[in-house]
Amino acid sequence: MSGTILILGACGQIGTELTLKLRSMHGNERVVASDIREGGEELMSSGPFEILDATDANAMEEVVAFYEVEEIYLMAAMLSATAEKFPERAWNLNMTSLINVLQLAKEHKIDKVFWPSSIAVFGPNTPKERTPQHTIMEPSTVYGISKLAGERWCDYYHHKFGVDVRSLRYPGLLSWKTQPGGGTTDYAVEIFHNAVKGEPYECFLKADSALPMMYMDDAIRATIELMCADSDNLSVRSSYNLSAMSFTPEELALEIRKHRQDLEVVYAPDFRQQIADTWPASIDDSKAREDWGWKPAFGLEATVEVMLRELSR
Ligand SMILES: NC(=O)c1ccc[n+]([C@@H]2O[C@H](COP(=O)([O-])OP(=O)(O)OC[C@H]3O[C@@H](n4cnc5c(N)ncnc54)[C@H](O)[C@@H]3O)[C@@H](O)[C@H]2O)c1
């Protein structure tokens, strides 16, 4: 790669860690972070940063030309829980930003695109256990609708215009560096913050609500491995199913209690329970394993250990 990498929405939960990882691989100056707000100290001080609204096609084109950008990772989006409160804004951000990036690739101004989808593309009629790559979708949230539409646009731009766009259906992500940004699986991060402070946690999902989850290091590695994979091996240009583990809030609390016996959890499900009820409990990611060798490294035990260790520092 002779040019640079641009991350849109770099200050969020995934963008922060992805930017730092890509900077460690390619050199700080080769990875340009951008967002509509400033990010954490490490992200801001380690390399170039631009204030950039991903819905502004002209501004994006200027940044791409200035930094001679070759690859874009589009992490800007409105997440599931927030999107239910602002449906039109969510649709506008999630769709306009994607079309802007796909157009740049179609016009050969960039070579490669990463865009994340989500398990939210599935809906109440989807098989819940080991949800297959190709199955009934019918999402019932505005976030899921925007992700499913996005997947179809990615597939369309690839087949119609030869755009090299790659995508993963991330499960809920657990990380300690950055707070989650308004999703239905945020409980699984919040509970650790309370556990290390010795405070009780009020969980917004029911105790037995099983969802697919992944530790952030696995998600970042999957993203980079997919982007490095040989294009000819990629049979899915909508978005790959991706899996590491599945657990309920109660199972997570039990695992945390092995280290913090005093953790108290009360369950007070809110509107996010209805969203969780429509999502899969576990995911079949055999296509990702076959096509580009995906294999997760972190299960529940290892994730709980590293989360508690890092947050206790
Ligand atoms: N975190 C998860 O568990 C998860 C799971 C599945 C999919 N995803 C997807 O991964 C991507 C990144 O998610 P995240 O958790 O890092 O989200 P986040 O909310 O933590 O971060 C999103 C970032 O986008 C920025 N942003 C908002 N509007 C913008 C705009 N107009 N222009 C530029 N930046 C803008 C925000 O300031 C924020 O820093 C999203 O597409 C999300 O749907 C996340």
Side-chain angles (χ1 to χ4, degrees), residues 180-200:
T184 302
T185 52
D186 291 6
Y187 90 84
V189 176
E190 293 168 2
I191 193 171
F192 283 98
H193 288 268
N194 286 43
V196 296
K197 282 187 269 176
E199 290 173 5

Side-chain angles (χ1 to χ4, degrees), residues 6 50-65:
L6 173 64
E50 292 284 336
I51 289 287
L52 176 59
D53 180 346
T55 62
D56 185 340
N58 294 331
M60 198 190 294
E61 196 170 337
E62 277 173 29
V63 170
V64 164

Side-chain angles (χ1 to χ4, degrees), residues 34-253:
S34 73
D35 204 296
I36 49 169
R37 61 179 173 112
E38 295 200 344
E41 142 71 20
E42 200 182 352
L43 179 104
M44 297 303 292
S45 61
S46 61
F49 177 82
E50 292 284 336
I51 289 287
L52 176 59
D53 180 346
T55 62
D56 185 340
N58 294 331
M60 198 190 294
E61 196 170 337
E62 277 173 29
V63 170
V64 164
F66 182 78
Y67 287 98
E68 298 179 359
V69 172
E70 252 178 52
E71 290 181 13
I72 289 186
Y73 291 70
L74 168 52
M75 310 314 283
M78 194 183 289
L79 270 57
S80 56
T82 315
E84 286 307 293
K85 295 182 186 154
F86 310 104
E88 295 83 6
R89 272 172 52 194
W91 176 257
N92 181 43
L93 170 59
N94 296 2
M95 287 294 93
T96 309
S97 57
L98 176 59
I99 296 293
N100 287 348
V101 173
L102 292 174
Q103 277 296 115
L104 284 176
K106 180 189 164 191
E107 292 161 8
H108 304 290
K109 290 173 178 149
I110 53 172
D111 293 344
K112 221 191 248 186
V113 175
F114 178 82
W115 173 80
S117 185
S118 156
I119 54 164
V121 290
F122 300 115
N125 299 319
T126 305
K128 251 189 156 12
E129 298 294 340
R130 287 194 58 75
T131 301
Q133 175 71 43
H134 301 288
T135 185
I136 299 166
M137 313 288 278
E138 300 178 6
S140 55
T141 61
V142 66
Y143 176 70
I145 295 169
S146 74
K147 289 295 185 190
L148 180 54
E151 287 192 6
R152 301 322 310 153
W153 278 120
C154 289
D155 194 70
Y156 183 84
Y157 269 73
H158 175 72
H159 287 105
K160 191 98 179 168
F161 307 121
V163 166
D164 189 357
V165 53
R166 304 172 182 209
S167 176
L168 297 170
R169 290 173 180 154
Y170 290 135
L173 300 180
L174 288 86
S175 66
W176 52 269
K177 277 194 183 154
T178 315
Q179 292 281 358
T184 302
T185 52
D186 291 6
Y187 90 84
V189 176
E190 293 168 2
I191 193 171
F192 283 98
H193 288 268
N194 286 43
V196 296
K197 282 187 269 176
E199 290 173 5
Y201 180 64
E202 186 176 293
C203 182
F204 58 76
L205 295 185
K206 288 192 294 195
D208 63 351
S209 203
L211 288 170
M213 297 282 187
M214 183 175 281
Y215 182 54
M216 185 62 84
D217 284 21
D218 267 347
I220 300 294
R221 185 168 54 80
T223 306
I224 291 169
E225 284 178 7
L226 174 65
M227 285 299 270
C228 292
D230 186 341
S231 179
D232 294 341
N233 293 343
L234 304 181
S235 64
V236 175
R237 291 298 187 146
S238 51
S239 191
Y240 278 98
N241 274 9
L242 189 72
S243 169
M245 57 184 145
S246 284
F247 55 76
T248 66
E250 189 159 42
E251 285 163 348
L252 177 59

